[in-house]
Amino acid sequence: MPELYEYKRNTPVAEESYDVAVIGGGSAGICAAIAAAREGAKTLLIEDTGWLGGIGSTCAMVEFGPVYRAGLRVVGGVPQELMERMIAFGGAVRLGEEGSTMFAPETFAHVAMEMCLEAGVKLMLHSRFIDCILEGERISGILVDTKGGMFAIRSKVFLDSTGDGDVFFRAGLPFKMGRDADGAMQPMTLVFFVNNVNYAVYEAAVQRETGGKMIPFFEKLVAKAKADGNFHVPISRPGSVGVVPRYGRIHDPESCEVFVNSTNVVGKCGADAKDLTEAEIITRRQVYELYAFLKDYVPGFADCYLSHVPNAIGVRETRRLTGRYVLTAKDMVTGKRFCDTVAVGFNTIDVHQVAGEDFDLTDFAPGEYYSVPYRCLVTNELSNLIVAGRCISVDHEALGAVRVMVNTMPIAEGAGTAAAIAAKLSCDVRDVPVDMLQETLVKNGAVIGF
Ligand SMILES: Cc1cc2nc3c(=O)[nH]c(=O)nc-3n(C[C@H](O)[C@H](O)[C@H](O)COP(=O)(O)OP(=O)(O)OC[C@H]3O[C@@H](n4cnc5c(N)ncnc54)[C@H](O)[C@@H]3O)c2cc1C
């Protein structure tokens, strides 16, 4: 038994209480909060950083995956509106027939903030959830720490969209991390940006060398750099490389800013501060080796300069709730349908191998799609907690699909809508009438099946 300090303190309770308190303002928390507020719930959104977007802004992602295929559109409602408003705002562009959207991370944070405020969501930034106060089967309040001190907040329903499942973890609920066999998790990556890239030269080289295919193109270059002793990152090629549509900047293919998803750290846990610290140190060093690699080996990058390194490493995988139902990759590839579906998708199951180097990708053919049921968002233990985002109840492989934002956002719209209904009916979140939930989602433009 380690030495223990006993820590007791009287904590003030905030005067205002809420129908729905959403904890974590990433891709999931944003959509959950907007959905709840639009359904009339008095909604609070608590976020640790100074802006919204989570991994999508703080760790600086730039792409929402495909949403249309073979006549099926799998994203509607709040996330579709968010993407369209980001495009109209001028910091995002739609690509190709399948409707992927490239965006500037700060545009995501900004448009999300405006949409939350318009919906009537009360924002509480720079505020960190630290614990739950449990009364029987209910969370009666949560403890939040700020620069001004710690206080308690009451709400009818709490929604955990912290990515890491901080709320269900502190509540002592069951969860899993990593592969069933050994708990190993997908690697973490610190992305970075380089500017003044001649993308036209790069694309012409990819076309010439590998018929326009990025993967074999980079595999060859990385293999050469490894053979030269100039590449030590455990990866056979970047996860992705793409042009960033910065607000106010006209796209110039001969001098543009490029996102690089290529650092990689294996064997670390994204929910452990010691591991996270080591991961930051390793990947921040890797950024400079990769920058040199780009300049020396990749056509079009010779004159680039490092324009942005985010202030946090991107975490792909930590805690996954063990909820009422655990959605599996098998459910996804077999297209299992659920009577309480809240969202559908066809994004690739994208599991970055735990040892680094490569990726296990499972694609869905045109017309195929998977369904995500509400029962993955609720717990066996608590009557007023709903979970959204990458920490919902899925297995390690299914997380490879659920974690991408074209999935976290629609699922979270389902979570936020359910939270508002539970608050309105004063019912257990597990007893939210499914027909009412689905009718509301469809009325609001969400897609729950075909
Ligand atoms: C390198 C990398 C590349 C990726 N590329 C893509 C991509 O191209 N496209 C794509 O769609 N997805 C991509 N993903 C996955 C995707 O970005 C994330 O899985 C997704 O954004 C997770 O959203 P979330 O809302 O569940 O969690 P998060 O984005 O992690 O949001 C959680 C929020 O909660 C806040 N928070 C956490 N704990 C607390 C607390 N205790 N108190 C208060 N606030 C708290 C955090 O600050 C954060 O804002 C990538 C991920 C990585 C790591």
Side-chain angles (χ1 to χ4, degrees):
M1 177 80 160
E3 190 187 356
L4 295 175
Y5 281 116
E6 191 180 335
Y7 178 77
K8 272 191 189 159
R9 197 165 184 138
N10 283 328
T11 305
V13 179
E15 255 175 47
E16 220 167 332
S17 68
Y18 298 87
D19 294 325
V20 177
V22 177
I23 303 136
S27 59
I30 292 162
C31 293
I34 294 170
R38 286 183 178 175
E39 283 309 303
K42 185 176 173 192
T43 304
L44 176 69
L45 177 54
I46 300 161
E47 166 55 40
D48 189 23
T49 68
W51 63 353
L52 300 178
I55 289 178
S57 59
T58 304
C59 311
M61 298 311 139
V62 297
E63 185 174 5
F64 299 127
V67 295
Y68 306 101
R69 188 176 294 159
L72 304 181
R73 176 167 56 78
V74 285
V75 174
V78 173
Q80 188 193 10
E81 183 183 332
L82 175 62
M83 290 177 203
E84 279 169 8
R85 287 190 50 174
M86 286 165 63
I87 294 168
F89 180 72
V93 289
R94 190 144 274 160
L95 294 181
E97 284 177 4
E98 297 197 337
S100 293
T101 303
M102 295 294 288
F103 61 89
E106 65 278 2
T107 292
F108 180 32
H110 183 77
V111 175
M113 174 187 78
E114 295 293 4
M115 283 179 65
C116 282
L117 294 173
E118 281 166 24
V121 174
K122 179 166 176 190
L123 296 182
M124 189 181 279
L125 304 178
H126 295 288
S127 302
R128 186 175 182 80
F129 159 87
I130 48 171
D131 212 346
C132 302
I133 304 149
L134 297 175
E135 278 176 20
E137 274 211 337
R138 292 189 74 249
I139 298 176
S140 60
I142 55 168
L143 295 180
V144 172
D145 195 28
T146 69
K147 287 284 178 194
M150 194 164 83
F151 55 93
I153 293 172
R154 284 181 301 216
S155 178
K156 289 183 183 167
V157 177
F158 292 91
L159 199 147
D160 183 351
S161 46
T162 58
D164 299 313
D166 286 13
V167 182
F168 65 70
F169 170 65
R170 296 292 179 142
L173 268 46
F175 65 88
K176 288 204 166 163
M177 287 208 281
R179 298 193 294 205
D180 280 350
D182 56 8
M185 284 174 269
Q186 296 184 58
M188 292 182 254
T189 293
L190 177 69
V191 307
F192 64 93
F193 295 66
V194 288
N195 209 332
N196 197 34
V197 174
N198 191 328
Y199 211 70
V201 166
Y202 159 75
E203 282 189 313
V206 179
Q207 192 58 44
R208 195 173 56 244
E209 299 290 323
T210 51
K213 294 198 170 75
M214 182 206 113
I215 294 175
F217 176 77
F218 267 107
E219 278 170 346
K220 256 170 69 183
L221 296 181
V222 168
K224 178 162 184 354
K226 281 186 177 172
D228 294 346
N230 292 332
F231 198 107
H232 304 90
V233 180
I235 201 151
S236 57
R237 55 154 173 112
S240 52
V241 169
V243 175
V244 190
R246 291 284 187 200
Y247 176 79
R249 187 184 160 87
I250 295 163
H251 176 61
D252 175 357
E254 291 178 2
S255 171
C256 55
E257 189 172 22
V258 171
F259 159 91
V260 185
N261 168 358
S262 194
T263 69
N264 217 25
V265 62
V266 299
K268 305 277 179 216
C269 173
D272 178 288
K274 183 173 165 288
D275 274 13
L276 275 168
T277 304
E278 288 168 8
E280 294 278 9
I281 293 167
I282 292 167
T283 53
R284 281 174 200 283
R285 287 177 173 158
Q286 288 178 354
V287 164
Y288 291 89
E289 185 179 84
L290 287 164
Y291 169 62
F293 161 74
L294 291 171
K295 283 180 84 77
D296 295 345
Y297 287 83
V298 187
F301 285 73
D303 297 324
C304 73
Y305 63 91
L306 194 59
S307 52
H308 179 58
V309 182
N311 73 346
I313 192 168
V315 176
R316 292 190 172 84
E317 173 172 19
T318 53
R319 303 181 192 105
R320 309 183 317 267
L321 174 74
T322 304
R324 281 242 149 151
Y325 182 76
V326 181
L327 186 73
T328 64
K330 189 172 168 213
D331 292 337
M332 290 180 152
V333 294
T334 57
K336 185 165 176 175
R337 304 286 178 249
F338 300 91
C339 60
D340 57 340
T341 294
V342 289
V344 294
F346 50 52
N347 195 94
T348 304
I349 301 179
D350 174 3
V351 182
H352 291 227
Q353 290 176 2
V354 300
E357 295 296 335
D358 219 334
F359 313 80
D360 293 322
L361 305 175
T362 308
D363 289 322
F364 291 82
E368 288 178 354
Y369 68 95
Y370 42 78
S371 308
V372 180
Y374 179 57
R375 68 192 93 158
C376 292
L377 316 185
V378 287
T379 73
N380 290 305
E381 295 79 11
L382 294 177
S383 61
N384 66 340
L385 178 64
I386 301 179
V387 178
R390 65 182 169 83
C391 50
I392 66 168
S393 182
V394 292
D395 69 10
H396 167 76
E397 289 75 22
L399 174 71
V402 159
R403 68 187 183 88
V404 299
M405 293 178 276
V406 285
N407 283 328
T408 56
M409 297 195 293
I411 299 168
E413 178 166 7
T417 306
I421 293 173
K424 199 183 299 175
L425 302 182
S426 292
C427 71
D428 187 319
V429 293
R430 297 163 298 193
D431 296 334
V432 165
V434 168
D435 51 355
M436 188 187 286
L437 171 58
Q438 292 180 328
E439 277 161 25
T440 310
L441 286 171
V442 170
K443 171 188 75 131
N444 293 334
V447 183
I448 60 170
F450 302 95

